[in-house]
Amino acid sequence: MKIGISQLNFHIGNFNENLTSVAFEIKKAQQFNLDLLICSELAICGYPPLDLLEYKSFIDLCTEALERLAKICTDIGVLIGAPTLNPESTGKKLFNSAYFLADGQIRQVFHKTLLPTYDIFDEYRYFEPNREFKLLKYKDRKLAVTICEDLWYEQPFEADLSNKRLYTINPMDELIKEGPEIIINLAASPFSYTKIDVKQNIFLENARKYNLPVIYVNQVGGQTELIFEGGSLALNRKGVIVKELACFREDSAIIDLDSLLYDQMEPVETKPKDPSAMIYQALRFGLRDYFNKSGFRKAVIGLSGGIDSAVTMVIAADALGPENVHALLLSSTFTSEDSVNDAIKLAENKSVEYDILNIEKLFRQVKDTLQPLFKDLPEDIAEENIQSRIRSLLLMAYSNKFRHLLLNTSNKSEAAVGYGTLYGDMAGGLSVLGDVYKTDVYRLARHINRNKAVIPENIITRAPSAELKPDQKDTDSLPEYDVLDQILFQYIENRKSEKEIGKMINDPVLASKIIQRVNRNEYKRYQAPPILRISSKSFGSGRRMPIAAKY
Amino acid sequence: MKIGISQLNFHIGNFNENLTSVAFEIKKAQQFNLDLLICSELAICGYPPLDLLEYKSFIDLCTEALERLAKICTDIGVLIGAPTLNPESTGKKLFNSAYFLADGQIRQVFHKTLLPTYDIFDEYRYFEPNREFKLLKYKDRKLAVTICEDLWYEQPFEADLSNKRLYTINPMDELIKEGPEIIINLAASPFSYTKIDVKQNIFLENARKYNLPVIYVNQVGGQTELIFEGGSLALNRKGVIVKELACFREDSAIIDLDSLLYDQMEPVETKPKDPSAMIYQALRFGLRDYFNKSGFRKAVIGLSGGIDSAVTMVIAADALGPENVHALLLSSTFTSEDSVNDAIKLAENKSVEYDILNIEKLFRQVKDTLQPLFKDLPEDIAEENIQSRIRSLLLMAYSNKFRHLLLNTSNKSEAAVGYGTLYGDMAGGLSVLGDVYKTDVYRLARHINRNKAVIPENIITRAPSAELKPDQKDTDSLPEYDVLDQILFQYIENRKSEKEIGKMINDPVLASKIIQRVNRNEYKRYQAPPILRISSKSFGSGRRMPIAAKY
C-alpha cells in the first residue's frame, strides 16, 4: 500500500481555497497511484476554527466540502479531518473527526477521544469525546486512526500540580486490542520551542510501546497567534524516524507501507535544532502568514535604535521582503544621536525605506493643550506616556493612510511587568516578539548577525532604554534582564510560587516585587495585540487571568 | 433546622478579605443559633479564579483558608465552595467542590458534576467532573448538595445546533435515588438580562420534577467583565419562590427548614423585572465593583454630546458619585455647537465637573508633522482616526496624571461592525456599554430620564454622528440602528446564518455586508477593553473568534 501524507496550510473558514488545495493533492496522489492520502486535523475548515463551530451554517459548509471531496475519491482513500454533528440526544454538539473517503463517498468516521482543554486549547468547548474504538480496515490492512492529542495520553507536561495523567482513558490502549498494524495521527499541533523534542518523543514512545509504526501528519501555517510548524513524521516500530517533512512550509511525501512495516526504510538523520534558529524561522513564518491570511502586504514599524524594534524589523523584512517594510524613526530630545544613527544604519543594511520625523513640536503642543489642566504639576509618567502615544498616533496614521499593518515591537519581559504604554508602544496589529523574553531577543539578534553584522553591534551592546526622559535606563526600574527573565520564566512558564522563586534567586523581596508587577498588569495585556506564540505559555488566549483580582 | 444563606461579594485571590467576611457571617449565624450556613461556589477564592487555579500555591492558600474556617465551625455546619486537589492518578488536577465544615473540621466534600465549558465558562480547563453521588446527612436531615450547573441539565439554551442536552448525565437523577429532602445549590451564576426568567424557571422545574424544595445561593459582585447579581432564592417543592435575596448587593436570610419542607412559608411576590432597569443596575454595580476591586476611585470620560458618552457618564456618576467623575469635552471644528452645549448641560445636570479643550491646534500639528509623508494626499479615514486618537491621548494623559480610570463609551453595535478607532474612542480601562446595542442605549437613556430630563432631550433625538468630518452621520456608512441591531442580534446572540438573516430582514445584500463587517473586525475587538457583560453573548472571553479567518 502506498500512502501519501500532505502537510498543508489552511485558511480558517476559507472553504474554497482549502478544498482546492486538498483536491489538488488528491489528484497528484491519484497520478502517483497512491492507495491512501492523509491530511491533517480539521483540514476542511482549518484549525482552530474556535466559535465559528457554533454556527450551524459553518458546519454545513464543512459537510458540503467533505461531500464534494468524497466524489473525487473514486480510486483512492483519503483520511481528512472535519467536524461532525453529534447525532446523540445528549452531549456536546460536535465531534472532532477523521473522515475516511473512498469509492466516491464518505465511508467511515473516527472521532477524537482526548480533547485538549488547557493553554490555548478549548476543544471541550465544542466537542464530545469519542467512546467507541474501531480500526480502519482498508485493502487488507488495519489502521489505528487517531487525532492529535489521542496519542498524548502520556504527555510529560501540564503536570505542574502533580505527576498525574491528564486523561482517564488512553485511546491507543483500546485500539491496540483490535490488532492494528500501524498508528495514523492527524494533527494540528502548534509550535513551541520547548516542545520540539517532546513531540518527537511522544511518537517514539507510542511506536515502542505498541510495537507499531506511526505516521503523524501535522498542519502547517500561521493562524493568528499560533504557528503550526508542520514537521510531519513517519517512524518505524522501533521509534526511529524514517521520514520527516519540512518545517514552516507545505510539504508532502509518499510512504510505502510494506517498507515501513518491515523496517526497510532508512533512518532520517535528524539534526539537533538550534532554538534561536527555530524561533527565528517560526516568527518569520508566523508573521508572513498573518499578512497573507489577513490580506496585508506591507508593514510599518517604529524604529527606535533599540534591540526590540531592530530584531522585529529584520524578521519583517525577511518575511515580507524589504520593499514591503517601512520604518519610521520618531525622535525626540531624549533620543540619543546614537539611537538615530544606529536605526538608520540598520534600515540601510536591510534595504528598508525609512522616514525620520521629530515629535518635539507635537509633544510641546500636547503639553500646551493640557496646560489649563496640568498647570505647573511636575512632569511624570504621564508625559512619558504622551511621547509613546504620540509615536503610535503617527505610526497608526501612516498605517491607515498607506494600508501598512503596524508591527508591535514589545518583548515578553516588558509585557510581563507592564513596562510599556497602553495605546503607545503596546499598539500594533501583531506582536512579533511578545512571546520572546528580552534575553532571547538578544539571542535572536546574535542569530541574525551570525554571518554578518546586519544589526549594528551598538544596538546589541548599548544599555536598553525607553528614552522617554533624560538618561533613562531600563535598569532604573527593572533588575538586570537575566535576573528578571529567570523570575518571569519560573512564574509564567513553570507556575512556581513567589516563595519558591525567592529562594531560587536568593532574593525574596525582588521575586515578590516582580511577581506583583506581573499580576498587576493583567489589565494592560488584556488590550495587547495578538502575540506570535513560540513558547509553552504565551500571553494571550493560552494564559487567562482575572484582572480585578488580588493575588 | 435553621439554615442561613449568605450572598457575599468576593475578591478573587484576596483570601484575607474573603475569609474575614465569611467568618463574620459564621459568627452572626452562631449568634442566631443557626444549624447550617450556606455560601456560594468557590467562595474561598472568588469566582472565576481562571488560571490562578494552575498555581499550586494558590490551591494551597485555598486549603489553608478552609482549614482556618473549619476551626471556628464548632457549633454550626457550613457549606462553602472551594477547589480540591484530585487525588486520583488520572484526570484533571482539581475538583470544583462544596465543603461541609462542622465540629471544627472538614467533614465532607462534594464535587461538581456538570462543568460548564461554553461562552465565558472554562471549567473543564481546570476541573475533573464528579462521578460519585452521595447526600449530606446532617442532624437527621438528608440534603442533596449541588454546585451551580449541576441543576442546569435541562437548560433551554446553547441549543443552536440542535435540540439536545449538553450533558450525558443528570446529577439530580442520581442524587434523588438516595432520598434527599431538599436540594441545595451553591452557585456563581452571572447576570444576563436574557436569563432572568430562565434562571428562576430552572429552579422551579427542578423543584417540581423532584418534588423537593430548592435553596440557591449565588455569588454577588462584579468580577471584571462578569456581573453576578446575587438574587439567591428558596423555593418550595411546588416551585414557588418563598425567599428572594437582593440583586446587586450582599444579602443574607434565615430559612426554617421545617417551614420550607412543610410548605409553611409565604410566597414572595416577585415583580416582573424591567430589562432596562435591570441592565442599568447591573452596569452601575459592575462599574462600581470594578473600581473597588482594582483600587480606583475616580473616572475620567470623554463627553462628546452624543448619547453613548451621556449614558456612560450618568452610570458612572451614579456608581461612583459625581464628585468622582471628571468629564473632558474635546471639541474640534467638526463638533457642533449643540453637542458642546448639550454635553455641558448634561454635566451640570449631574453635578459632574468638566473641562473643555479644543483639539484643533493639535490636529493641525499632527498633520504638519506628517506633511512630509502625506504630502497632498486627500484627507480620508486616516485623518478621522487622528482626531479620535488625539482625544484618547489627552484623556489618557489626564488618566495618568490624576489617576482617573478612563471609561470607554463604545456601544455593542459599533464594536460589532468596527465603527470606532483602535487606540482612539475604543480606548479605556473598562467598557461600560460594550454589551449594549445602540437601540438599547436609547432605552437606557429613556430609563434614566423616566422622572426628569437628566440627559438633555437633544442628545437623545439628534441623529448620531462621530463628528470627524463635515456633516457626518452614522447612517452615512451604517443602516438605521434598529435594522442594524436586528441583524447583529440574530448573528451574534442567535448564531443565525447570513442567508437566514437576509430572509428575515428581507435584504440579503445588507445582511451579508453587515455580517462581513462583523467578521472583518475581530482584530479590533481583540484589543478592546474588558466589557461589562449583560447579555447572553458579549464580546470578550465569551466569544472566541479567529482573526485571520475568511468566513
Side-chain angles (χ1 to χ4, degrees):
Chain A
M1 187 186 290
K2 277 159 78 184
I3 298 179
I5 59 181
S6 287
Q7 169 182 298
L8 302 178
N9 187 350
F10 299 106
H11 190 186
I12 292 167
N14 193 337
F15 292 96
N16 281 339
E17 196 186 284
N18 297 346
L19 206 62
T20 304
S21 74
V22 173
F24 181 82
E25 291 290 303
I26 294 176
K27 207 168 170 187
K28 219 169 64 180
Q30 285 165 324
Q31 283 164 353
F32 282 102
N33 284 316
L34 303 193
D35 301 284
L36 179 65
L37 180 75
I38 308 173
C39 296
S40 56
E41 180 179 12
L42 293 187
I44 285 289
C45 53
Y47 188 97
L50 302 181
D51 284 3
L52 288 173
L53 290 171
E54 297 190 348
Y55 283 81
K56 173 74 163 61
S57 49
F58 186 84
I59 306 300
D60 288 344
L61 287 172
C62 292
T63 311
E64 273 171 43
L66 267 180
E67 284 166 358
R68 279 171 59 192
L69 273 188
K71 287 210 178 79
I72 61 169
C73 298
T74 45
D75 51 355
I76 190 169
V78 170
L79 267 172
I80 186 166
T84 305
L85 276 175
N86 178 359
E88 300 298 320
S89 64
T90 61
K92 296 276 183 179
K93 295 156 212 159
L94 301 171
F95 289 107
N96 180 345
S97 313
Y99 276 79
F100 180 61
L101 316 176
D103 308 321
Q105 51 185 298
I106 294 170
R107 283 277 301 276
Q108 211 174 338
V109 190
F110 306 87
H111 305 315
K112 189 173 185 174
T113 307
L114 305 187
L115 299 169
T117 306
Y118 56 76
D119 193 57
I120 50 115
F121 298 105
D122 280 316
E123 294 204 16
Y124 189 66
R125 186 174 169 92
Y126 314 106
F127 301 117
E128 185 69 14
N130 171 59
R131 287 183 192 85
E132 273 174 39
F133 299 94
K134 59 192 175 185
L135 300 180
L136 170 60
K137 288 169 195 164
Y138 178 54
K139 298 205 172 180
D140 291 329
R141 292 289 182 197
K142 295 196 284 184
L143 301 86
V145 178
T146 63
I147 303 177
C148 207
E149 191 88 348
D150 284 344
L151 289 190
W152 289 73
Y153 176 79
E154 302 200 17
Q155 63 184 279
F157 46 89
E158 282 304 313
D160 38 296
L161 275 182
S162 57
N163 254 328
K164 63 210 292 295
R165 299 282 168 235
L166 198 50
Y167 302 102
T168 51
I169 187 170
N170 182 350
M172 266 316 297
D173 281 353
E174 303 302 316
L175 287 166
I176 197 72
K177 296 172 190 164
E178 310 294 319
E181 291 162 279
I182 183 170
I183 303 173
I184 307 290
N185 190 254
L186 285 71
S189 180
F191 175 75
S192 145
Y193 77 93
T194 56
K195 234 168 122 177
I196 300 169
D197 297 333
V198 173
K199 264 189 203 182
Q200 297 200 345
N201 281 335
I202 273 286
F203 300 115
L204 180 152
E205 281 164 21
N206 273 283
R208 286 190 190 161
K209 177 172 176 191
Y210 299 106
N211 192 33
L212 290 177
V214 177
I215 293 179
Y216 155 70
V217 186
N218 194 16
Q219 168 178 284
V220 71
Q223 303 291 5
T224 309
E225 311 97 314
L226 300 185
I227 300 160
F228 295 85
E229 83 273 23
S232 302
L233 298 170
L235 301 90
N236 66 22
R237 67 184 71 239
K238 291 173 195 136
V240 177
I241 294 172
V242 293
K243 185 72 82 179
E244 185 175 24
L245 266 56
C247 279
F248 309 120
R249 64 173 172 81
E250 293 196 329
D251 199 5
S252 63
I254 297 173
I255 294 161
D256 180 69
L257 184 57
D258 283 340
S259 306
L260 182 59
L261 288 175
Y262 303 114
D263 286 350
Q264 290 159 346
M265 288 178 73
E266 287 297 308
V268 169
E269 245 189 277
T270 54
K271 281 162 273 175
K273 286 157 177 108
D274 169 36
S276 293
M278 285 294 273
I279 292 173
Y280 186 83
Q281 289 170 46
L283 294 175
R284 185 179 57 186
F285 179 62
L287 191 161
R288 185 192 297 139
D289 220 22
Y290 184 75
F291 275 68
N292 283 341
K293 285 176 178 162
S294 56
F296 275 93
R297 253 184 60 219
K298 288 169 181 282
V300 60
I301 187 169
L303 216 54
S304 69
I307 191 162
D308 300 316
S309 60
V311 169
T312 306
M313 196 209 77
V314 172
I315 295 171
D318 285 351
L320 308 172
E323 70 282 9
N324 290 317
V325 179
H326 194 87
L328 291 186
L329 282 65
L330 303 167
S331 63
S332 78
T333 42
F334 305 130
T335 311
S336 71
E337 213 172 299
D338 280 0
S339 292
V340 178
N341 291 335
D342 292 339
I344 292 174
K345 202 166 160 202
L346 168 68
E348 287 171 352
N349 285 351
K350 287 299 288 186
S351 311
V352 164
E353 279 188 24
Y354 63 90
D355 287 293
I356 305 179
L357 300 178
N358 189 291
I359 67 163
E360 209 46 43
K361 275 192 201 160
L362 201 37
F363 186 29
R364 232 176 300 137
Q365 185 61 57
V366 171
K367 289 196 279 190
D368 284 354
T369 304
L370 287 165
Q371 213 288 322
L373 310 183
F374 284 13
K375 301 199 171 78
D376 297 321
L377 289 170
E379 297 207 350
D380 60 9
I381 189 85
E383 281 75 14
E384 294 187 38
N385 284 335
I386 287 170
Q387 295 164 67
S388 183
R389 292 195 180 107
I390 286 173
R391 290 195 171 99
S392 78
L393 188 150
L394 296 173
L395 287 161
M396 285 304 296
Y398 190 95
S399 164
N400 292 155
K401 191 59 110 187
F402 301 110
R403 224 186 120 66
H404 283 46
L405 189 107
L406 174 61
L407 290 175
N408 171 279
T409 63
S410 305
N411 63 59
K412 189 173 190 173
S413 312
E414 290 173 354
V417 295
Y419 191 74
T421 302
L422 205 48
Y423 323 129
D425 57 310
M426 287 184 66
L430 183 71
S431 165
V432 181
L433 300 178
D435 196 28
V436 182
Y437 287 114
K438 186 80 173 189
T439 44
D440 288 327
V441 176
Y442 283 102
R443 288 192 187 97
L444 284 181
R446 291 288 173 208
H447 170 75
I448 290 166
N449 279 7
R450 68 198 177 285
N451 297 321
K452 135 178 182 226
V454 175
I455 298 173
E457 190 62 20
N458 230 348
I459 290 182
I460 304 181
T461 51
R462 197 184 322 112
S465 165
E467 296 195 330
L468 295 171
K469 60 182 180 180
D471 300 320
Q472 193 176 30
K473 296 273 171 292
D474 288 8
T475 46
D476 297 346
S477 48
L478 295 174
E480 295 290 343
Y481 277 111
D482 54 344
V483 178
L484 178 64
D485 287 357
Q486 198 192 345
I487 299 172
L488 296 174
F489 185 83
Q490 292 302 334
Y491 187 61
I492 295 162
E493 267 86 342
N494 287 353
R495 272 86 118 203
K496 294 290 176 207
S497 71
E498 206 175 293
K499 217 167 142 186
E500 289 167 300
I501 299 170
K503 265 189 206 159
M504 212 176 282
I505 63 160
N506 208 9
D507 189 343
V509 177
L510 180 64
S512 170
K513 197 181 121 194
I514 297 301
I515 289 169
Q516 289 312 313
R517 276 188 76 160
V518 176
N519 293 351
R520 237 184 11 246
N521 282 289
E522 289 305 336
Y523 80 97
K524 277 193 188 177
R525 287 189 292 273
Y526 189 96
Q527 299 189 43
I531 292 169
L532 290 178
R533 175 185 179 277
I534 53 106
S535 80
S536 61
K537 189 52 78 181
S538 174
F539 294 127
S541 71
R543 189 172 184 275
R544 301 173 193 168
M545 286 291 176
I547 296 182
K550 184 174 178 178
Y551 179 61
Chain B
M1 186 186 291
K2 278 160 76 184
I3 299 178
I5 59 181
S6 288
Q7 169 181 298
L8 302 178
N9 186 349
F10 299 106
H11 190 185
I12 292 167
N14 194 338
F15 292 97
N16 281 339
E17 197 186 283
N18 297 346
L19 207 60
T20 305
S21 75
V22 173
F24 180 81
E25 291 292 302
I26 294 176
K27 207 168 170 186
K28 220 170 61 182
Q30 285 165 326
Q31 283 163 355
F32 282 100
N33 285 317
L34 303 193
D35 302 284
L36 179 64
L37 180 74
I38 309 173
C39 297
S40 56
E41 180 179 11
L42 293 188
I44 284 288
C45 53
Y47 188 97
L50 302 180
D51 285 3
L52 289 172
L53 291 171
E54 297 191 348
Y55 282 81
K56 173 73 165 61
S57 49
F58 187 83
I59 305 301
D60 289 344
L61 288 172
C62 292
T63 311
E64 273 171 43
L66 267 180
E67 284 166 357
R68 279 171 59 191
L69 274 188
K71 288 210 178 80
I72 61 170
C73 298
T74 45
D75 51 355
I76 190 169
V78 170
L79 268 172
I80 185 166
T84 304
L85 276 174
N86 177 359
E88 299 298 319
S89 63
T90 61
K92 296 276 184 180
K93 295 156 213 159
L94 301 171
F95 288 107
N96 180 346
S97 314
Y99 277 79
F100 179 61
L101 315 177
D103 307 322
Q105 52 187 296
I106 294 170
R107 282 278 300 277
Q108 212 174 339
V109 190
F110 306 87
H111 305 315
K112 188 173 184 175
T113 307
L114 304 187
L115 300 169
T117 306
Y118 55 77
D119 193 56
I120 52 113
F121 298 107
D122 280 315
E123 294 204 17
Y124 189 67
R125 185 175 170 92
Y126 315 106
F127 301 116
E128 185 67 15
N130 170 58
R131 288 183 191 85
E132 273 175 40
F133 299 93
K134 58 191 175 186
L135 299 181
L136 169 61
K137 288 168 197 168
Y138 178 55
K139 298 204 172 181
D140 290 328
R141 291 290 181 195
K142 295 195 284 184
L143 302 85
V145 178
T146 62
I147 304 178
C148 208
E149 191 88 348
D150 284 344
L151 290 190
W152 289 73
Y153 177 80
E154 302 201 16
Q155 62 184 279
F157 45 89
E158 283 302 313
D160 37 298
L161 275 180
S162 57
N163 254 327
K164 64 211 291 297
R165 298 283 167 235
L166 198 50
Y167 303 102
T168 51
I169 187 169
N170 183 349
M172 266 316 298
D173 281 353
E174 304 302 317
L175 287 166
I176 197 72
K177 297 172 190 165
E178 310 293 320
E181 292 162 278
I182 183 170
I183 303 173
I184 307 289
N185 190 253
L186 285 69
S189 180
F191 175 75
S192 144
Y193 77 93
T194 56
K195 235 168 120 178
I196 300 170
D197 297 332
V198 173
K199 264 190 202 182
Q200 297 200 345
N201 280 336
I202 273 287
F203 301 115
L204 179 152
E205 281 164 20
N206 273 284
R208 287 192 190 159
K209 178 172 175 190
Y210 300 105
N211 192 31
L212 290 177
V214 177
I215 294 179
Y216 153 71
V217 186
N218 194 16
Q219 168 177 284
V220 71
Q223 303 291 5
T224 309
E225 310 96 314
L226 299 185
I227 300 160
F228 295 84
E229 83 273 23
S232 302
L233 299 170
L235 301 90
N236 66 20
R237 66 183 73 237
K238 291 175 196 135
V240 177
I241 295 172
V242 292
K243 186 70 84 179
E244 185 175 24
L245 266 57
C247 279
F248 308 121
R249 64 174 173 83
E250 293 196 331
D251 199 4
S252 62
I254 297 173
I255 294 161
D256 181 68
L257 185 57
D258 283 340
S259 306
L260 182 60
L261 289 175
Y262 303 113
D263 287 347
Q264 290 160 347
M265 288 177 73
E266 287 297 308
V268 169
E269 244 189 280
T270 54
K271 283 162 273 177
K273 287 159 175 105
D274 170 35
S276 292
M278 285 294 274
I279 292 173
Y280 186 83
Q281 289 170 45
L283 293 175
R284 186 180 55 187
F285 179 61
L287 191 161
R288 185 193 298 140
D289 220 22
Y290 184 75
F291 274 69
N292 283 342
K293 286 176 178 161
S294 56
F296 276 92
R297 253 184 59 220
K298 288 167 181 283
V300 59
I301 189 168
L303 215 54
S304 68
I307 191 161
D308 300 317
S309 60
V311 170
T312 306
M313 196 209 76
V314 173
I315 294 172
D318 285 352
L320 308 172
E323 69 283 10
N324 290 318
V325 179
H326 194 87
L328 292 186
L329 282 64
L330 303 167
S331 64
S332 77
T333 42
F334 305 131
T335 312
S336 70
E337 214 173 298
D338 280 359
S339 292
V340 177
N341 291 336
D342 292 339
I344 291 174
K345 203 167 160 201
L346 168 69
E348 286 172 353
N349 285 352
K350 285 299 286 184
S351 311
V352 164
E353 279 188 23
Y354 63 90
D355 287 293
I356 305 179
L357 300 178
N358 188 290
I359 67 163
E360 210 46 43
K361 276 191 200 160
L362 201 38
F363 186 29
R364 232 175 300 135
Q365 185 61 56
V366 171
K367 290 196 277 190
D368 284 354
T369 305
L370 287 165
Q371 212 288 323
L373 309 184
F374 285 13
K375 302 198 171 76
D376 297 324
L377 288 170
E379 297 207 350
D380 61 8
I381 188 85
E383 281 76 12
E384 294 187 39
N385 284 335
I386 287 170
Q387 297 164 66
S388 183
R389 293 194 180 108
I390 286 173
R391 291 195 171 99
S392 78
L393 189 150
L394 297 172
L395 287 161
M396 286 304 296
Y398 190 95
S399 164
N400 291 156
K401 189 61 107 188
F402 301 110
R403 223 185 123 66
H404 282 47
L405 189 105
L406 174 61
L407 290 176
N408 171 279
T409 62
S410 305
N411 63 60
K412 189 174 189 174
S413 312
E414 289 173 354
V417 294
Y419 192 73
T421 301
L422 204 48
Y423 322 129
D425 57 310
M426 289 184 67
L430 184 71
S431 165
V432 181
L433 299 179
D435 196 27
V436 183
Y437 287 113
K438 186 82 173 186
T439 44
D440 289 326
V441 175
Y442 283 102
R443 289 193 186 97
L444 285 180
R446 291 287 173 209
H447 170 76
I448 289 166
N449 278 7
R450 67 197 178 284
N451 297 322
K452 123 176 193 232
V454 176
I455 298 174
E457 190 62 21
N458 230 349
I459 291 182
I460 303 180
T461 51
R462 196 183 323 112
S465 164
E467 297 195 327
L468 295 172
K469 58 181 182 182
D471 300 321
Q472 194 176 28
K473 296 273 169 293
D474 288 9
T475 45
D476 297 346
S477 47
L478 296 174
E480 296 289 344
Y481 277 110
D482 55 343
V483 178
L484 178 65
D485 287 356
Q486 196 192 347
I487 299 171
L488 295 174
F489 186 83
Q490 292 302 334
Y491 187 61
I492 295 162
E493 268 88 341
N494 287 351
R495 271 86 116 204
K496 295 290 177 206
S497 70
E498 205 175 294
K499 217 168 143 184
E500 289 168 300
I501 299 170
K503 266 189 207 160
M504 213 175 282
I505 64 160
N506 208 10
D507 189 343
V509 176
L510 181 63
S512 169
K513 197 182 122 194
I514 296 301
I515 289 169
Q516 289 311 313
R517 275 187 78 161
V518 176
N519 294 350
R520 239 185 9 246
N521 282 289
E522 290 304 336
Y523 80 97
K524 276 194 187 177
R525 287 189 292 272
Y526 189 96
Q527 299 189 42
I531 293 168
L532 291 178
R533 175 185 179 276
I534 53 107
S535 79
S536 62
K537 189 52 79 180
S538 174
F539 294 126
S541 71
R543 190 173 184 274
R544 301 173 192 169
M545 285 290 177
I547 298 181
K550 185 174 180 180
Y551 180 61

